[in-house]
Structure formats: structure tokens, C-alpha cells
Amino acid sequence: MIRRITSLLPSFLAVAAIFLALLPSAKAQTTLRGSTTDAVLWTAPDGVRGLVVALFEEARIDFLFPQTQGLTGPIRGEYFEGVNFDTHKLDRREIRIDFAYGGGGPGEGVPNDNFSARWSGQIRVERTGEYTFYTQTDDGVRLTVDGKMLVDRWQDMGTTEFSGKINLQSGRTYDFKMEYYERGGGAEARLLWSGPGTPKQVLRPIGAVAQTGPAADLEDKPLRLGVMDVNADRRADVLVLSSGFPGKITTLLAKQDGFFEEGGSVSAGNDPGILVVSEGRAAVLARQSRQIIVFKPVQGKLTQVNARKLDQKLRGLENLENGFAVLGEKSVLILGEDLADRSTISAEGAIALATGDLDGDGRADIAVLSSSGATAYYAKDNYQKSELFPGTKPGSDQATQALIYQRKIYSSTPAGIFQMDREGALNRSDAPGRIVRGESGLFVLETGRGQIRPMP
């Protein structure tokens, strides 16, 4: 069961120069609040594209998304002694207005009580529509956007949220100014906003990365994620695989208002470890019960439609165009949609499996990693002819994961991430982790450290 479903309301933003998942050339690394196990590309109901991330120990999923509108540059912060801007004490560039001073003050020379501040900057929006700006302060506050007073509460008070609305035009830049004073006791000041394509969040620079937390709290620890429109409402729902005896898939239905709603759960066999999703279907590899279980949406709910128990230990599962590739102890089984045998590939000592286009014909080929290297099997030859990628043994003899991307084979090992191609090139990234696809590139989840970084 899901303990709590919340809106996509950010708890904090990890600032990066460019959104690293969608722009793989970025060099930034972002630390998440929790240990990660998986991430998938997801489109929110309002069209914002980002990543749903599974946080295992915390039993929740979060949403990462790029800031395509917001601050055009740093905020100018001016700090004064006195509640009416009496004596100037400090100038400072800020990247946000998100301060909890407690019993302290803004900085050197500014008193802890009886001080005031003025923040000014510019924002740019990419979508025309009505935007809401929110202030959360203890004590008084005034806020203007494009010369319009949205909040005017110049009074002593505990932490209180006020808001105002304004219509903004796509592509335009607008000035804003927020004034604040602190009389005594606790002190807080925040500026948030929401609007078309922007969930309610602290106002941050364009190019920053936002992490909501949590998008959904879960009863079980999430292991793998998938995305599918389960209830045929043209919204991307999230499938959450949790391991156990039995394991299960929980469906999180995306609602138009930005909330998730529980859509039920279904048993996924004993000790499921792999979830693969394609259009209209999902499949799970259950290790202890040696099963492949297939699910499809039926009347708005994910429902088991087929299962097959195999007579060998299972190590990998990948989608093919009209079926599945299953990695066993000594072979790769090519199964149809109905899980019936289509063909078998001998794969003695195989460790990891991947499917994807290796030869540029648009069809899903198969790559098998073993102690002897990476071997490719091509769809156009009915997977009967093979090719050994030269010089790849260091990246494949301890692989925990394999992935095909842009006609290259990637493997994740305890020694790092390896990239292999048909010409024998072998590149390694030192930090290990799980490789995940973004919209236009790959990135790595350093699972134990809760960090996410672009693939070099």
C-alpha cells in the first residue's frame, strides 16, 4: 500500500548549470536526498519532462525536472539595520530567496533582530498564462512583479504564506522585487511560484534541477521503475516494482492536477529483480520462482496475462519487438509474446544481457556479456550469426548490467562503467553505478551515494 500520495511539491532544488539528465554534455553532478536504485524518463500531466527516481531506503519516489523558466541570473540582495531600510550593511548575490534564519541574521554586520532586506532580479517565462507567486515570511513582506503589487503584508507575524497572481507572456523578461523585515524572534523568508509547466516550487535559476520530495511515499522499498499509460487517459503512469516473497508492482496513476493516485498492486512472483516495460505491456523476471510474468492494462488496471516457469536460473530479461530475450545459466532464450520458444542462443558463462540496435537497421539486436567479452547477435540474421566486440573483456567479465545505446555497448561493473564499440574502443568511467537513459543521453546513478551524473 502507498502510505501517502503528495503533489509534486519541491522540498529542495539542487542547482546545476544544465539539467544533466536531458543534456548529457553537462559536467554537473547532483546529490539526491537518499540512495537511488532506478530512474525513468517521465512526462508530467502539464508537459514538464523529467526523471522519476526510486529512493530505496527511504521507500519513496521523487521527480527531477529541468528549470526551463525562472531567474535569468543572480538575485541582488541588500541588507539593512532597522525594519525600514535604515542603515545599509551588506550587499550579496543570491541564487534563491529561501532562508530560515532562526535566531540568527543574514550575515556579517546585519543584526539578528530588527533588520530588513530587499531582493531584486529578473525572471523569464516560456509559457504564456497565469502565474502565482507565494511569500512565506516571519515577519513583514511586500512583493511586486512587473510593477504590480502581489503581496503587501508589512506587519509583525509568525511564518505565514501569502500569494498573488499575474499573467505573464512567453519569451518576456520581468523585473521583481521582494522586501522583508524581521522584528524579533524567529526569522524566515521564501519566494515560491507556480504556473504553466512549473509545479509550486522555490524560484530558482533557469537550468537548475528541481527535486520533489516525495512525489509518493511507499509501503515497500522501490527496486525498479517503468512508465505506461495504464488507465488509457493519455497520461504517463508509473509502475513501481518492489522485491519480496512475493514481490509486487504498484501502479501510481498520474492525475491532471499533478498528484499521483494509487491504482492498485499486483503480485510479481517471488524475489522479482527485473522490470521491463514497452508499449502496452510489462514483464518481470522473478528469480527464486524462475518465472517470466507478463502484465497488460485491463479495464484500467495492470493485470497478469501470462507467466512461464523455466528450468534454469534466470539472470536477465529484455524486450524484443515481438517478444523477449531471457538470459539463463547457459543460454539466451528468445521467446514470443506468448512466452513460447522461438530460438536459443548458446551463452556459456553469460553474465549480462542487453537489447538494442547495434547495426543501424532499426531492429533490436542482442548483446551478451561474459568472461570472454561482449558478443552481438543480430535480428536480421534471426540471432544466429554473432560478432565478438574486440578488446572488451575488462568491461564484461564482472558486469552487473548491460545496455545498448547509439550502437555501442555499455556495461556497469564494480570497477566502473565501460563503453564498447565494434572498432574495439574501450572507455571507462571510474565511478560505478546503474546506467539509465535520459531523453537525449545516458546518466549514471551512483546508488550508494545517492548521486546522479551525466555519462562522459
Side-chain angles (χ1 to χ4, degrees), residues 106-136:
E108 184 177 356
V110 183
N112 295 344
D113 294 318
N114 292 305
F115 69 86
S116 48
R118 179 184 295 117
W119 297 287
S120 56
Q122 292 186 320
I123 58 172
R124 186 174 70 245
V125 301
E126 296 300 318
R127 298 190 183 189
T128 297
E130 185 180 70
Y131 289 78
T132 304
F133 289 80
Y134 311 83
T135 62
Q136 298 173 354

mmCIF file of all heavy atoms in Angstrom, residues 106-136:
data_model
loop_
_atom_site.group_PDB
_atom_site.id
_atom_site.type_symbol
_atom_site.label_atom_id
_atom_site.label_comp_id
_atom_site.label_asym_id
_atom_site.label_seq_id
_atom_site.Cartn_x
_atom_site.Cartn_y
_atom_site.Cartn_z
ATOM 1 N N PRO A 106 21.157 37.576 8.522
ATOM 2 C CA PRO A 106 21.576 37.291 7.147
ATOM 3 C C PRO A 106 23.074 37.221 6.930
ATOM 4 O O PRO A 106 23.528 36.562 6.001
ATOM 5 C CB PRO A 106 20.984 38.461 6.350
ATOM 6 C CG PRO A 106 19.954 39.059 7.218
ATOM 7 C CD PRO A 106 20.413 38.831 8.613
ATOM 8 N N GLY A 107 23.850 37.922 7.754
ATOM 9 C CA GLY A 107 25.283 37.915 7.504
ATOM 10 C C GLY A 107 26.016 38.930 8.352
ATOM 11 O O GLY A 107 25.440 39.618 9.213
ATOM 12 N N GLU A 108 27.297 39.055 8.069
ATOM 13 C CA GLU A 108 28.177 39.907 8.863
ATOM 14 C C GLU A 108 27.709 41.369 8.827
ATOM 15 O O GLU A 108 27.423 41.919 7.773
ATOM 16 C CB GLU A 108 29.600 39.812 8.311
ATOM 17 C CG GLU A 108 30.629 40.579 9.123
ATOM 18 C CD GLU A 108 32.034 40.402 8.598
ATOM 19 O OE1 GLU A 108 32.207 39.614 7.636
ATOM 20 O OE2 GLU A 108 32.950 41.051 9.135
ATOM 21 N N GLY A 109 27.609 41.949 10.011
ATOM 22 C CA GLY A 109 27.226 43.349 10.135
ATOM 23 C C GLY A 109 25.744 43.591 10.230
ATOM 24 O O GLY A 109 25.304 44.698 10.565
ATOM 25 N N VAL A 110 24.929 42.561 9.924
ATOM 26 C CA VAL A 110 23.471 42.702 9.986
ATOM 27 C C VAL A 110 22.997 42.106 11.303
ATOM 28 O O VAL A 110 23.327 40.962 11.628
ATOM 29 C CB VAL A 110 22.793 41.985 8.805
ATOM 30 C CG1 VAL A 110 21.286 42.213 8.840
ATOM 31 C CG2 VAL A 110 23.378 42.463 7.476
ATOM 32 N N PRO A 111 22.217 42.839 12.111
ATOM 33 C CA PRO A 111 21.780 42.312 13.406
ATOM 34 C C PRO A 111 20.840 41.122 13.227
ATOM 35 O O PRO A 111 20.222 40.925 12.182
ATOM 36 C CB PRO A 111 21.060 43.501 14.041
ATOM 37 C CG PRO A 111 20.645 44.372 12.903
ATOM 38 C CD PRO A 111 21.710 44.216 11.867
ATOM 39 N N ASN A 112 20.732 40.304 14.276
ATOM 40 C CA ASN A 112 19.848 39.137 14.245
ATOM 41 C C ASN A 112 18.374 39.524 14.295
ATOM 42 O O ASN A 112 17.520 38.790 13.790
ATOM 43 C CB ASN A 112 20.165 38.199 15.400
ATOM 44 C CG ASN A 112 21.558 37.588 15.282
ATOM 45 O OD1 ASN A 112 22.166 37.623 14.216
ATOM 46 N ND2 ASN A 112 22.060 37.046 16.372
ATOM 47 N N ASP A 113 18.062 40.647 14.945
ATOM 48 C CA ASP A 113 16.704 41.182 15.013
ATOM 49 C C ASP A 113 16.713 42.610 14.497
ATOM 50 O O ASP A 113 17.767 43.243 14.360
ATOM 51 C CB ASP A 113 16.178 41.151 16.447
ATOM 52 C CG ASP A 113 16.003 39.731 16.963
ATOM 53 O OD1 ASP A 113 15.518 38.884 16.195
ATOM 54 O OD2 ASP A 113 16.363 39.474 18.132
ATOM 55 N N ASN A 114 15.519 43.112 14.179
ATOM 56 C CA ASN A 114 15.387 44.493 13.698
ATOM 57 C C ASN A 114 16.273 44.751 12.477
ATOM 58 O O ASN A 114 17.108 45.659 12.462
ATOM 59 C CB ASN A 114 15.687 45.485 14.818
ATOM 60 C CG ASN A 114 14.630 45.454 15.901
ATOM 61 O OD1 ASN A 114 13.441 45.628 15.627
ATOM 62 N ND2 ASN A 114 15.058 45.184 17.137
ATOM 63 N N PHE A 115 16.078 43.915 11.450
ATOM 64 C CA PHE A 115 16.771 44.143 10.181
ATOM 65 C C PHE A 115 15.746 44.046 9.047
ATOM 66 O O PHE A 115 14.625 43.553 9.223
ATOM 67 C CB PHE A 115 17.918 43.164 9.966
ATOM 68 C CG PHE A 115 17.503 41.732 9.722
ATOM 69 C CD1 PHE A 115 17.175 41.280 8.444
ATOM 70 C CD2 PHE A 115 17.460 40.823 10.771
ATOM 71 C CE1 PHE A 115 16.801 39.969 8.221
ATOM 72 C CE2 PHE A 115 17.091 39.504 10.554
ATOM 73 C CZ PHE A 115 16.761 39.071 9.270
ATOM 74 N N SER A 116 16.148 44.520 7.889
ATOM 75 C CA SER A 116 15.288 44.453 6.703
ATOM 76 C C SER A 116 16.136 44.053 5.500
ATOM 77 O O SER A 116 17.367 44.161 5.525
ATOM 78 C CB SER A 116 14.577 45.781 6.461
ATOM 79 O OG SER A 116 15.461 46.872 6.519
ATOM 80 N N ALA A 117 15.466 43.560 4.459
ATOM 81 C CA ALA A 117 16.166 43.110 3.264
ATOM 82 C C ALA A 117 15.346 43.450 2.034
ATOM 83 O O ALA A 117 14.110 43.521 2.078
ATOM 84 C CB ALA A 117 16.402 41.601 3.328
ATOM 85 N N ARG A 118 16.058 43.673 0.939
ATOM 86 C CA ARG A 118 15.405 43.917 -0.356
ATOM 87 C C ARG A 118 16.104 43.039 -1.390
ATOM 88 O O ARG A 118 17.317 43.101 -1.565
ATOM 89 C CB ARG A 118 15.512 45.384 -0.749
ATOM 90 C CG ARG A 118 14.867 45.701 -2.107
ATOM 91 C CD ARG A 118 15.074 47.152 -2.518
ATOM 92 N NE ARG A 118 14.396 48.070 -1.619
ATOM 93 C CZ ARG A 118 15.010 48.977 -0.852
ATOM 94 N NH1 ARG A 118 16.346 49.066 -0.875
ATOM 95 N NH2 ARG A 118 14.327 49.780 -0.066
ATOM 96 N N TRP A 119 15.296 42.198 -2.051
ATOM 97 C CA TRP A 119 15.831 41.328 -3.099
ATOM 98 C C TRP A 119 15.213 41.721 -4.426
ATOM 99 O O TRP A 119 13.997 41.886 -4.544
ATOM 100 C CB TRP A 119 15.501 39.865 -2.807
ATOM 101 C CG TRP A 119 16.121 39.352 -1.532
ATOM 102 C CD1 TRP A 119 17.429 39.055 -1.316
ATOM 103 C CD2 TRP A 119 15.438 39.064 -0.311
ATOM 104 N NE1 TRP A 119 17.611 38.593 -0.036
ATOM 105 C CE2 TRP A 119 16.414 38.583 0.611
ATOM 106 C CE3 TRP A 119 14.103 39.152 0.110
ATOM 107 C CZ2 TRP A 119 16.096 38.203 1.899
ATOM 108 C CZ3 TRP A 119 13.780 38.779 1.396
ATOM 109 C CH2 TRP A 119 14.767 38.307 2.285
ATOM 110 N N SER A 120 16.032 41.834 -5.469
ATOM 111 C CA SER A 120 15.530 42.220 -6.789
ATOM 112 C C SER A 120 16.229 41.397 -7.863
ATOM 113 O O SER A 120 17.396 41.026 -7.737
ATOM 114 C CB SER A 120 15.753 43.719 -7.039
ATOM 115 O OG SER A 120 17.120 44.060 -6.880
ATOM 116 N N GLY A 121 15.483 41.097 -8.913
ATOM 117 C CA GLY A 121 16.041 40.316 -10.009
ATOM 118 C C GLY A 121 15.083 40.273 -11.167
ATOM 119 O O GLY A 121 14.131 41.060 -11.252
ATOM 120 N N GLN A 122 15.339 39.342 -12.087
ATOM 121 C CA GLN A 122 14.505 39.201 -13.280
ATOM 122 C C GLN A 122 14.151 37.731 -13.498
ATOM 123 O O GLN A 122 14.943 36.836 -13.193
ATOM 124 C CB GLN A 122 15.225 39.735 -14.518
ATOM 125 C CG GLN A 122 15.424 41.242 -14.527
ATOM 126 C CD GLN A 122 15.999 41.722 -15.840
ATOM 127 O OE1 GLN A 122 16.873 41.083 -16.419
ATOM 128 N NE2 GLN A 122 15.496 42.852 -16.330
ATOM 129 N N ILE A 123 12.952 37.513 -14.040
ATOM 130 C CA ILE A 123 12.520 36.176 -14.412
ATOM 131 C C ILE A 123 12.095 36.171 -15.868
ATOM 132 O O ILE A 123 11.692 37.203 -16.412
ATOM 133 C CB ILE A 123 11.342 35.689 -13.533
ATOM 134 C CG1 ILE A 123 10.163 36.652 -13.637
ATOM 135 C CG2 ILE A 123 11.771 35.500 -12.100
ATOM 136 C CD1 ILE A 123 8.906 36.150 -12.951
ATOM 137 N N ARG A 124 12.204 35.010 -16.508
ATOM 138 C CA ARG A 124 11.710 34.839 -17.877
ATOM 139 C C ARG A 124 10.860 33.579 -17.921
ATOM 140 O O ARG A 124 11.201 32.560 -17.310
ATOM 141 C CB ARG A 124 12.868 34.709 -18.869
ATOM 142 C CG ARG A 124 12.388 34.667 -20.327
ATOM 143 C CD ARG A 124 13.518 34.692 -21.326
ATOM 144 N NE ARG A 124 14.287 33.459 -21.334
ATOM 145 C CZ ARG A 124 15.562 33.374 -20.985
ATOM 146 N NH1 ARG A 124 16.204 34.461 -20.571
ATOM 147 N NH2 ARG A 124 16.186 32.227 -21.019
ATOM 148 N N VAL A 125 9.746 33.661 -18.643
ATOM 149 C CA VAL A 125 8.851 32.505 -18.765
ATOM 150 C C VAL A 125 8.803 32.050 -20.213
ATOM 151 O O VAL A 125 8.984 32.840 -21.138
ATOM 152 C CB VAL A 125 7.431 32.817 -18.246
ATOM 153 C CG1 VAL A 125 7.488 33.236 -16.788
ATOM 154 C CG2 VAL A 125 6.756 33.891 -19.079
ATOM 155 N N GLU A 126 8.559 30.757 -20.401
ATOM 156 C CA GLU A 126 8.471 30.167 -21.728
ATOM 157 C C GLU A 126 7.034 29.811 -22.106
ATOM 158 O O GLU A 126 6.793 29.393 -23.242
ATOM 159 C CB GLU A 126 9.347 28.912 -21.796
ATOM 160 C CG GLU A 126 10.830 29.188 -21.619
ATOM 161 C CD GLU A 126 11.370 30.134 -22.692
ATOM 162 O OE1 GLU A 126 10.987 29.965 -23.871
ATOM 163 O OE2 GLU A 126 12.139 31.052 -22.349
ATOM 164 N N ARG A 127 6.108 29.965 -21.164
ATOM 165 C CA ARG A 127 4.710 29.648 -21.448
ATOM 166 C C ARG A 127 3.827 30.801 -21.017
ATOM 167 O O ARG A 127 3.944 31.293 -19.891
ATOM 168 C CB ARG A 127 4.287 28.380 -20.708
ATOM 169 C CG ARG A 127 5.055 27.133 -21.120
ATOM 170 C CD ARG A 127 4.422 25.889 -20.535
ATOM 171 N NE ARG A 127 5.163 24.696 -20.862
ATOM 172 C CZ ARG A 127 4.746 23.461 -20.626
ATOM 173 N NH1 ARG A 127 3.573 23.267 -20.043
ATOM 174 N NH2 ARG A 127 5.481 22.409 -20.943
ATOM 175 N N THR A 128 2.981 31.238 -21.897
ATOM 176 C CA THR A 128 2.038 32.301 -21.572
ATOM 177 C C THR A 128 0.943 31.753 -20.664
ATOM 178 O O THR A 128 0.437 30.650 -20.867
ATOM 179 C CB THR A 128 1.406 32.850 -22.857
ATOM 180 O OG1 THR A 128 2.428 33.441 -23.661
ATOM 181 C CG2 THR A 128 0.344 33.900 -22.551
ATOM 182 N N GLY A 129 0.569 32.544 -19.657
ATOM 183 C CA GLY A 129 -0.506 32.119 -18.776
ATOM 184 C C GLY A 129 -0.445 32.819 -17.430
ATOM 185 O O GLY A 129 0.319 33.768 -17.227
ATOM 186 N N GLU A 130 -1.285 32.343 -16.509
ATOM 187 C CA GLU A 130 -1.370 32.930 -15.173
ATOM 188 C C GLU A 130 -0.384 32.240 -14.241
ATOM 189 O O GLU A 130 -0.376 31.019 -14.118
ATOM 190 C CB GLU A 130 -2.786 32.791 -14.628
ATOM 191 C CG GLU A 130 -2.985 33.480 -13.281
ATOM 192 C CD GLU A 130 -4.404 33.339 -12.764
ATOM 193 O OE1 GLU A 130 -4.782 32.205 -12.378
ATOM 194 O OE2 GLU A 130 -5.136 34.346 -12.770
ATOM 195 N N TYR A 131 0.409 33.039 -13.561
ATOM 196 C CA TYR A 131 1.397 32.553 -12.602
ATOM 197 C C TYR A 131 1.037 33.037 -11.207
ATOM 198 O O TYR A 131 0.520 34.147 -11.035
ATOM 199 C CB TYR A 131 2.800 33.023 -12.982
ATOM 200 C CG TYR A 131 3.338 32.341 -14.221
ATOM 201 C CD1 TYR A 131 2.906 32.736 -15.496
ATOM 202 C CD2 TYR A 131 4.245 31.298 -14.125
ATOM 203 C CE1 TYR A 131 3.380 32.105 -16.633
ATOM 204 C CE2 TYR A 131 4.730 30.658 -15.264
ATOM 205 C CZ TYR A 131 4.293 31.068 -16.519
ATOM 206 O OH TYR A 131 4.762 30.432 -17.644
ATOM 207 N N THR A 132 1.317 32.193 -10.236
ATOM 208 C CA THR A 132 1.082 32.538 -8.839
ATOM 209 C C THR A 132 2.418 32.634 -8.127
ATOM 210 O O THR A 132 3.270 31.737 -8.257
ATOM 211 C CB THR A 132 0.206 31.487 -8.141
ATOM 212 O OG1 THR A 132 -1.021 31.346 -8.857
ATOM 213 C CG2 THR A 132 -0.102 31.914 -6.707
ATOM 214 N N PHE A 133 2.616 33.726 -7.373
ATOM 215 C CA PHE A 133 3.819 33.912 -6.562
ATOM 216 C C PHE A 133 3.428 33.836 -5.094
ATOM 217 O O PHE A 133 2.407 34.392 -4.680
ATOM 218 C CB PHE A 133 4.475 35.259 -6.878
ATOM 219 C CG PHE A 133 5.117 35.295 -8.240
ATOM 220 C CD1 PHE A 133 4.354 35.492 -9.385
ATOM 221 C CD2 PHE A 133 6.483 35.112 -8.380
ATOM 222 C CE1 PHE A 133 4.933 35.510 -10.639
ATOM 223 C CE2 PHE A 133 7.084 35.130 -9.634
ATOM 224 C CZ PHE A 133 6.301 35.330 -10.766
ATOM 225 N N TYR A 134 4.255 33.134 -4.312
ATOM 226 C CA TYR A 134 3.958 32.887 -2.904
ATOM 227 C C TYR A 134 5.105 33.421 -2.053
ATOM 228 O O TYR A 134 6.289 33.178 -2.344
ATOM 229 C CB TYR A 134 3.832 31.388 -2.626
ATOM 230 C CG TYR A 134 2.936 30.624 -3.570
ATOM 231 C CD1 TYR A 134 3.411 30.177 -4.811
ATOM 232 C CD2 TYR A 134 1.614 30.326 -3.225
ATOM 233 C CE1 TYR A 134 2.600 29.460 -5.677
ATOM 234 C CE2 TYR A 134 0.800 29.603 -4.085
ATOM 235 C CZ TYR A 134 1.297 29.176 -5.311
ATOM 236 O OH TYR A 134 0.501 28.453 -6.167
ATOM 237 N N THR A 135 4.759 34.125 -0.995
ATOM 238 C CA THR A 135 5.748 34.513 0.009
ATOM 239 C C THR A 135 5.468 33.752 1.299
ATOM 240 O O THR A 135 4.314 33.546 1.671
ATOM 241 C CB THR A 135 5.699 36.021 0.285
ATOM 242 O OG1 THR A 135 4.399 36.373 0.807
ATOM 243 C CG2 THR A 135 5.989 36.827 -0.972
ATOM 244 N N GLN A 136 6.525 33.330 1.955
ATOM 245 C CA GLN A 136 6.437 32.685 3.266
ATOM 246 C C GLN A 136 7.428 33.418 4.169
ATOM 247 O O GLN A 136 8.639 33.280 3.989
ATOM 248 C CB GLN A 136 6.786 31.195 3.171
ATOM 249 C CG GLN A 136 5.845 30.389 2.291
ATOM 250 C CD GLN A 136 6.311 28.956 2.091
ATOM 251 O OE1 GLN A 136 7.404 28.571 2.509
ATOM 252 N NE2 GLN A 136 5.486 28.141 1.446
#
